[in-house]
Amino acid sequence: EPRELSNVVWAFEKAGASNSGLFEKVGDHIVSLNHLNKFMPQALSNTLLAFAKARESHPLLFQKVADHIVALDILNEFNSQALSNTVWTYA
């Protein structure tokens, strides 16, 4: 489930528990999904934020999320904190 994936990478980042293999597998799994429609904006934001703060690179994940946001025009569904965090992760 999207929220659980987000929570896992967020928890590892918060704990400072570096595990590149875990981040890679979660990123690969999300990229392999047909769509991200089950992901609420907060889960997308938290996932990207965890990757960015943990300094884990996954360009395909970031591209898939960006494409999803643009294609569905869902940026207006992000609250101000989620929007700020999402934009920050792409900086």
Side-chain angles (χ1 to χ4, degrees):
E1 291 296 310
R3 185 172 173 198
E4 285 79 7
L5 291 171
S6 175
N7 288 344
V8 167
V9 291
W10 179 86
F12 268 79
E13 183 280 317
K14 274 302 195 190
S18 179
N19 190 326
S20 293
L22 172 83
F23 278 84
E24 182 178 359
K25 289 218 180 263
V26 169
D28 288 348
H29 173 73
I30 294 170
V31 168
S32 76
L33 298 173
N34 289 333
H35 57 77
L36 301 180
N37 295 343
K38 289 186 177 182
F39 279 81
M40 298 300 293
Q42 191 68 46
L44 290 172
S45 176
N46 289 348
T47 301
L48 295 182
L49 189 60
F51 271 79
K53 285 185 154 188
R55 297 178 187 237
E56 294 289 343
S57 177
H58 202 298
L60 293 176
L61 170 64
F62 278 73
Q63 186 62 56
K64 180 152 187 147
V65 172
D67 290 346
H68 173 73
I69 292 169
V70 170
L72 297 180
D73 195 23
I74 63 166
L75 204 51
N76 62 335
E77 295 178 20
F78 283 68
N79 67 34
S80 58
Q81 186 66 56
L83 178 59
S84 175
N85 288 345
T86 302
V87 171
W88 180 85
T89 66
Y90 285 92

